[in-house]
Amino acid sequence: MASPYQELKQRAWAANQEIPKRGLAIYTFGNVSALDVERGVIAIKPSGVEYDRLKADDLVVVDLSGKIVEGSLRPSSDTATHLVLYRAWKGITGVVHTHSTYATGWAQARIPIPIYGTTHADHLAEDVPITALMSDEAVERDYEVETGNQILECFSKREPLHTPMVLVAGHGPFTWGETPEKAIYNAAVLEELARMAFVTRTLEPASARLPDRLIRKHFERKHGKNAYYGQK
Ligand SMILES: [Zn+2]
């Protein structure tokens, strides 16, 4: 009998393939999950399987409490972090984690990525936020759940769909979106913003952030209620 999760697994598989394709990770680094809102399950990359050997059937289906519903492999070790975000935020159906070089560089330097230019403002209207560094107790408690909690804490006054990305201090980026495809797009965009900001700061360490009016203009024309970017 065909799996009721076939479509979800296929979609999550395709999104995972974008990680090496966009140069966001080597070997088995990184993972993407996709949520089926009606069934209350996600499909996520299995732990430690290389992308070129990954098949759609290898994806692991897990319910929102973390119980395996389908699949013979172990789910990504970051699964619990993905689940914290899905449980907390309505409207998110894709989560991506990578150790892409430039975004991870900023995460390791523990610096939010400054909003230096309009490319950044086209996607989010603030610096890419960074979580606090995890306490020793939290590391010991339940590391992956606590990673999710660090992100939620960082977003206590933010709208996740307006700022669909974060740097986890000392670790690397997480991104998300209304769809898994949007989540992986945000991961690729974040890496590019991180790279541009690195070049900007290298050329001129005192580079100023983009003025507010330009940030608003660029963000609103793509995301505001009177958005006019692209084709209708
Ligand atoms: Zn990681």
Side-chain angles (χ1 to χ4, degrees), residues 83-124:
L83 291 174
V84 167
L85 303 186
Y86 287 122
R87 287 194 299 257
W89 296 338
K90 299 293 156 251
I92 306 289
T93 74
V95 173
V96 178
H97 174 49
T98 78
H99 291 185
S100 64
T101 310
Y102 285 86
T104 301
W106 288 89
Q108 292 181 170
R110 299 189 211 157
I111 308 172
I113 303 174
I115 180 164
Y116 284 134
T118 63
T119 323
H120 187 135
D122 282 337
H123 296 91
L124 65 161

Side-chain angles (χ1 to χ4, degrees), residues 146-160:
E146 293 299 335
T147 300
N149 289 340
Q150 297 285 111
I151 297 173
L152 294 189
E153 196 189 302
C154 181
F155 274 71
S156 61
K157 293 192 177 68
R158 290 187 163 92
E159 167 52 57

